[in-house]
């Protein structure tokens, strides 16, 4: 196992990014389709096709999920993802063509690099073409390029962050994986509850954002957001996939504080590619664990010292 979301059968990941713009996008591809759900907890989200994933709506499966930088501009990359998938005859059959179903979420990274360079049609198209079951990169790649955490005192006091991923093998050859771009307003905590990335004060020491908020004006309006995907080869309904996405936010809550703020657009998608059933509470608990591990790996990948 790679300890990456691509350990889940039928899941491919493709990245595209730009070093001058310090931005990029990441596609999580399920060519044969995946039952999907979503849960949005942050109050400043930028999303596309999330309403489609409601259990009461018609479409059962998605073909890919896009995670992108560029704020709302980055949603344009979904058009390129759709074009590449349509070329491969992938999508919902409407007779005259197949319409690829591509939900998306974006994060804010416009102030990190050249704000005129954003994920666009070409970047989304190329991300699909680059998608592979062997992808295992972390840190400053794809949607993780412009990620930082700990924004209370402004960008000069933030810590670099990036893209993280992890996976778990459960019983009966059932796998669950997470992939997440960590661009949070708050600090990041390890599995022992220690701050490992976040807002830095004098001497480069972490200040603990929650405690510091009591004496500082909150900045960074809408300039954050952690977006991620849970994928599994367990069999799920749309309702169950939505529940998995919901419980996976516990991984956010354990490792990010403050989390789900008015300044974040925190969003998690869940994708199910399989046919084997598993007890839903076990799977949901594993989703929380694997998401938490992916968050820690995201900051460790770019802060090795």
């Amino acid at each position: 196992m790679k300890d990456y979301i691509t350990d889940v059968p039928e899941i491919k990941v493709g990245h595209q990014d730009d070093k001058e713009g310090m931005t990029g996008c990441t596609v999580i591809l399920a060519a044969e389709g995946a039952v999907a759900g979503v849960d949005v907890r942050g109050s400043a989200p930028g999303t596309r096709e999330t309403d489609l994933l409601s259990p009461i709506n018609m479409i059962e499966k998605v073909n890919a999920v896009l995670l992108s930088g560029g704020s709302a501009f980055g949603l344009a990359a979904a058009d390129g993802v759709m074009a590449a998938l349509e070329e491969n005859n992938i999508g919902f059959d409407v007779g005259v063509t197949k319409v690829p179903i591509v939900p998306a979420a974006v994060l804010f990274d416009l102030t990190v690099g050249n704000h005129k360079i954003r994920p666009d049609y070409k970047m989304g198209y190329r991300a699909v073409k680059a998608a592979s079951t062997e992808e295992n990169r972390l840190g400053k790649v794809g949607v993780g390029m412009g990620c930082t955490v700990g924004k209370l005192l402004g960008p000069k006091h933030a810590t670099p962050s990036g893209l993280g991923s992890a996976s778990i093998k459960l019983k009966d050859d059932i796998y669950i994986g997470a992939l997440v771009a960590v661009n949070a307003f708050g600090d990041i905590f390890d599995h022992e509850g220690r701050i490992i990335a976040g807002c830095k004060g004098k001497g480069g020491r972490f200040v603990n954002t929650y405690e510091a908020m009591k004496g500082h004006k909150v900045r960074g309006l809408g300039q954050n957001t952690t977006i991620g995907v849970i994928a599994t080869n367990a069999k799920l309904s749309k309702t169950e996939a939505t529940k998995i996405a919901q419980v996976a936010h516990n991984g956010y809550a354990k490792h990010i504080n403050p989390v789900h703020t008015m300044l974040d657009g925190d969003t998690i998608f869940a994708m199910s590619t399989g046919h084997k059933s598993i007890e839903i509470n076990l799977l949901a608990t594993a989703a929380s664990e694997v998401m938490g591990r992916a968050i820690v790996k995201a900051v460790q990948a770019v802060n090795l010292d």
Side-chain angles (χ1 to χ4, degrees), residues 74-127:
L75 291 171
D79 292 336
V81 174
M82 290 185 67
L85 293 176
E86 185 185 26
E87 282 184 8
N88 292 323
N89 200 35
I90 295 171
F92 182 73
D93 194 344
V94 294
V96 293
T97 189
K98 290 186 178 179
V99 179
I101 308 301
V102 185
V106 296
L107 55 78
F108 186 97
D109 56 8
L110 297 178
T111 58
V112 180
N114 183 345
H115 72 278
K116 292 292 186 180
I117 299 174
R118 306 116 178 200
D120 57 10
Y121 179 101
K122 290 182 179 179
M123 203 176 281
Y125 182 92
R126 292 169 180 165

Side-chain angles (χ1 to χ4, degrees), residues 29 31 61 84 86 199 210 267 273 280 292 300:
L29 177 63
K61 293 185 176 183
E86 185 185 26
C199 184
Y210 171 58
T267 299
T273 63
I280 189 67
Q300 289 177 334

Side-chain angles (χ1 to χ4, degrees), residues 158-170:
T159 303
S161 182
L163 183 80
S165 187
S167 66
I168 298 171
K169 182 180 179 181
L170 298 171

Side-chain angles (χ1 to χ4, degrees), residues 3 6 21 73 93-94 97 109 124 132 161 172 188 190 220 222-223 228 243 250 258:
D3 196 26
T6 48
F73 296 110
D93 194 344
V94 294
T97 189
D109 56 8
S132 167
S161 182
D172 300 325
I188 308 303
D190 67 10
Q223 298 180 8
K243 186 63 180 179
N250 291 338

Side-chain angles (χ1 to χ4, degrees), residues 84-241:
L85 293 176
E86 185 185 26
E87 282 184 8
N88 292 323
N89 200 35
I90 295 171
F92 182 73
D93 194 344
V94 294
V96 293
T97 189
K98 290 186 178 179
V99 179
I101 308 301
V102 185
V106 296
L107 55 78
F108 186 97
D109 56 8
L110 297 178
T111 58
V112 180
N114 183 345
H115 72 278
K116 292 292 186 180
I117 299 174
R118 306 116 178 200
D120 57 10
Y121 179 101
K122 290 182 179 179
M123 203 176 281
Y125 182 92
R126 292 169 180 165
V128 173
K129 296 298 183 181
S132 167
T133 59
E134 299 303 312
E135 181 59 66
N136 66 350
R137 286 177 288 171
L138 302 169
K140 293 298 185 183
V141 61
V143 64
M145 279 293 287
C147 289
T148 57
V149 296
K151 318 290 181 64
L152 176 66
L153 302 179
K156 292 183 179 180
H157 296 269
T159 303
S161 182
L163 183 80
S165 187
S167 66
I168 298 171
K169 182 180 179 181
L170 298 171
K171 60 182 182 180
D172 300 325
D173 293 323
I174 291 177
Y175 296 80
I176 186 167
L179 185 144
V180 61
V182 183
N183 192 53
F185 168 76
D187 303 316
I188 308 303
F189 293 76
D190 67 10
H191 304 289
E192 283 73 46
R194 299 170 298 197
I195 298 177
I196 56 173
C199 184
K200 294 183 177 180
K202 293 181 179 180
R205 297 178 180 177
F206 297 123
V207 301
N208 189 311
T209 293
Y210 171 58
E211 295 299 328
M213 286 171 68
K214 298 173 184 178
H216 291 84
K217 182 178 180 180
V218 175
R219 306 176 185 178
L221 182 61
Q223 298 180 8
N224 310 289
T225 296
T226 299
I227 49 179
V229 172
I230 292 287
T232 180
N233 64 331
K235 180 181 179 181
L236 297 175
S237 66
K238 287 180 72 175
T239 299
E240 290 170 329

